[in-house]
Amino acid sequence: MTKAASHKHCIVCGKTIEETETFCDEVCESKYKSAQRRQTLFFLVFIGLLILMLIVPVILKTPQG
C-alpha cells in the first residue's frame, strides 16, 4: 500500500489542499463566508423571535387601567 503525502481537504468542496490552507480557492472561501453570514442571520432572527415570544405575553397580561 502506498502512503499519500501529508495533506488536508477543503472544508467546502473536499478537494485536496496543502496542510497550511483551509480552502482550495477564493470561490470556496466566499461560499463558506456567505454560509456563515446566513447562519448568523438565522440565529439572530431565532433569538429575536424567542425574546418576542417571552415578552409579548407578559405585556398583554399587564392590567391596563
Side-chain angles (χ1 to χ4, degrees):
M1 191 177 255
T2 308
K3 279 198 161 195
S6 188
H7 66 278
K8 286 176 35 176
H9 295 271
C10 175
I11 62 174
V12 176
C13 69
K15 289 182 185 175
T16 303
I17 56 175
E18 297 290 325
E19 279 191 16
T20 58
E21 301 293 323
T22 305
F23 306 101
C24 62
D25 57 19
E26 292 82 23
V27 174
C28 281
E29 187 172 1
S30 68
K31 284 181 183 179
Y32 179 80
K33 287 181 180 179
S34 175
Q36 287 294 99
R37 283 192 296 271
R38 189 170 44 251
Q39 184 178 12
T40 301
L41 177 64
F42 284 140
F43 178 73
L44 292 174
V45 168
F46 174 76
I47 295 298
L49 289 174
L50 184 65
I51 289 171
L52 279 174
M53 288 172 53
L54 293 172
I55 291 176
V56 168
V58 171
I59 291 172
L60 294 176
K61 233 180 192 184
T62 57
Q64 299 174 2

